[in-house]
Amino acid sequence: DGGITQSPKYLFRKEGQNVTLSCEQNLNHDAMYWYRQDPGQGLRLIYYSQIVNDFQKGDIAEGYSVSREKKESFPLTVTSAQKNPTAFYLCASSTTGTGNNQPQHFGDGTRLSIL
Amino acid sequence: AQKITQTQPGMFVQEKEAVTLDCTYDTSDPSYGLFWYKQPSSGEMIFLIYQGSYDQQNATEGRYSLNFQKARKSANLVISASQLGDSAMYFCAMRRTGGFKTIFGAGTRLFVKA
């Protein structure tokens, strides 16, 4: 079955540590996204990528970094510069193209906490 | 700028009854899509239904229907015959046609009572 796999499901970060969240998709989608969700709130866009080797900052990119070396993979690194990283992180993918109005497909999320 | 407003933080509905979740939006784009997603307590986001801004008819998917009133910029989700498994967070979202950024509302938590 096609889908998006995020790992790990739970992640703990120590002060001053960088951590990387994995996101892999086998849907052959060009576009991939990272969102942050805080308790009781909607999703906020961190980064997105329309195509391999290209990505753009979203609304809350500070303290995060990404790479897109393969179409299937879009890992997110939460750096030590992100002072409040505790949140639920969701990865998504979608098709692209003029006139496209296809929904995004989401992974099951990673819950990140500070130790 | 685009904006999605969901004014109901929480809603209660009796099992087997219908419920309407409100969503209003603001955009200057002439062509856009509206989406509803369900998020159970486990966290994954499940796509429910889509409405295009130029679609003449309201979208329906099984027990879900979208009450689209373009002039009022509203896209309310109607769930008929509620089930206990419908208890979840529901998010309204919008994206400009051909665009990449999807804007999400703050969500409505639905509780279905037995």
Side-chain angles (χ1 to χ4, degrees):
Chain A
D1 282 342
I4 298 179
T5 302
Q6 288 188 243
S7 62
K9 193 172 180 67
Y10 299 95
L11 187 58
F12 298 91
R13 196 192 88 168
K14 295 180 181 179
E15 294 286 343
Q17 186 181 45
N18 293 353
V19 291
T20 297
L21 283 61
S22 171
C23 178
E24 303 277 334
Q25 56 102 355
N26 61 3
L27 299 167
N28 199 34
H29 286 167
D30 285 315
M32 296 187 74
Y33 312 79
W34 273 106
Y35 292 93
R36 171 180 171 140
Q37 186 179 26
D38 291 285
Q41 298 188 29
L43 278 63
R44 292 186 290 168
L45 183 64
I46 304 173
Y47 268 98
Y48 66 100
S49 168
Q50 302 172 32
I51 199 167
V52 174
N53 292 323
D54 184 54
F55 49 82
Q56 284 79 41
K57 293 182 179 180
D59 300 317
I60 55 165
E62 186 175 350
Y64 301 96
S65 66
V66 293
S67 63
R68 187 86 186 276
E69 297 176 2
K70 298 187 300 181
K71 187 175 185 176
E72 303 79 22
S73 178
F74 191 40
L76 173 74
T77 296
V78 184
T79 74
S80 57
Q82 173 49 246
K83 298 306 179 187
N84 184 23
T86 297
F88 187 57
Y89 292 86
L90 282 160
C91 178
S93 71
S94 70
T95 56
T96 60
T98 304
N100 165 52
N101 261 321
Q102 294 301 307
Q104 294 178 331
H105 296 253
F106 286 84
D108 289 345
T110 293
R111 216 166 281 279
L112 175 62
S113 301
I114 285 279
L115 281 179
Chain B
Q2 295 180 323
K3 186 178 180 181
I4 294 279
T5 302
Q6 295 181 254
T7 57
Q8 306 153 312
M11 290 279 289
F12 287 88
V13 65
Q14 196 68 38
E15 193 179 11
K16 299 180 185 177
E17 292 185 351
V19 63
T20 298
L21 307 184
D22 294 341
C23 172
T24 58
Y25 62 91
D26 192 18
T27 182
S28 57
D29 294 308
S31 182
Y32 50 89
L34 295 155
F35 306 84
W36 276 92
Y37 291 87
K38 172 184 178 181
Q39 187 179 42
S41 57
S42 50
E44 74 272 25
M45 294 282 282
I46 302 166
F47 166 69
L48 296 178
I49 195 167
Y50 160 80
Q51 179 83 43
S53 59
Y54 287 110
D55 291 345
Q56 295 297 315
Q57 293 190 328
N58 288 341
T60 60
E61 289 287 349
R63 294 186 299 111
Y64 304 108
S65 60
L66 202 152
N67 184 359
F68 180 48
Q69 298 185 47
K70 191 172 181 178
R72 297 181 60 186
K73 293 189 175 178
S74 104
N76 298 340
L77 177 70
V78 180
I79 305 175
S80 62
S82 296
Q83 301 172 356
L84 295 177
D86 292 336
S87 294
M89 281 288 285
Y90 289 81
F91 292 96
C92 180
M94 174 174 63
R95 186 171 75 237
R96 173 178 60 84
T97 299
F100 290 94
K101 293 183 69 173
T102 300
I103 307 299
F104 289 82
T108 295
R109 184 169 293 280
L110 178 66
F111 300 92
V112 181
K113 300 181 291 183

